[in-house]
């Protein structure tokens, strides 16, 4: 849901309000589910697990998905704990080396979201 929210809010050249609203609302619902869970446990599945590893990258891009962590202190605390792990920091440093940001040319946009991504090489 966060990926779709990120796409329609950040990457899509034509802003489609229904899509933005749909994925923003669903992202907000999922953040509320996480907030509730994290009010009872330190990590999503009780102890640090693949659930945390899988969810962290999506929460990391919450602003690009038109979402906020404001009013969700347990999610904010969880995010900080995950973000401060040494292995996570190393992984994010690798990502920074190759991150290209929002495609700002027609060619880059086509490669990421257009027909070029489906062509056989």
């Amino acid at each position: 849901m966060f990926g779709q929210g990120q796409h329609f809010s950040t990457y899509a050249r034509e802003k489609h309000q229904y899509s933005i609203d749909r994925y923003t609302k669903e992202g907000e619902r999922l953040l509320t589910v996480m907030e509730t869970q994290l009010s009872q446990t330190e990590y999503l599945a009780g102890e640090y697990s693949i659930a945390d590893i899988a969810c962290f990258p999506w929460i990391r891009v919450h602003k690009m998905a038109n979402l906020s962590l404001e009013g969700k202190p347990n999610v904010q605390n969880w995010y900080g704990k995950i973000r401060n792990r040494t292995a996570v920091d190393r992984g994010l440093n690798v990502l920074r080396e190759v991150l290209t940001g929002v495609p700002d040319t027609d060619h880059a946009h086509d490669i990421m979201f257009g027909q070029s991504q489906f062509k056989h090489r």
Side-chain angles (χ1 to χ4, degrees), residues 10-62:
T10 302
Y11 296 121
R13 291 205 167 149
E14 295 178 20
K15 300 304 178 197
H16 188 254
Q17 197 58 50
Y18 172 82
S19 301
I20 292 169
D21 292 346
R22 159 102 171 85
Y23 292 108
T24 299
K25 288 176 187 172
E26 182 60 12
E28 182 63 35
R29 186 188 73 77
L30 292 170
L31 285 172
T32 300
V33 169
M34 288 180 70
E35 179 67 17
T36 300
Q37 176 64 22
L38 293 167
S39 73
Q40 302 166 25
T41 59
E42 184 176 10
Y43 296 101
L44 292 171
E47 59 186 50
Y48 184 68
S49 71
I50 191 67
D52 303 291
I53 295 165
C55 289
F56 174 80
W58 295 112
I59 303 307
R60 184 174 166 270
V61 299
H62 67 275

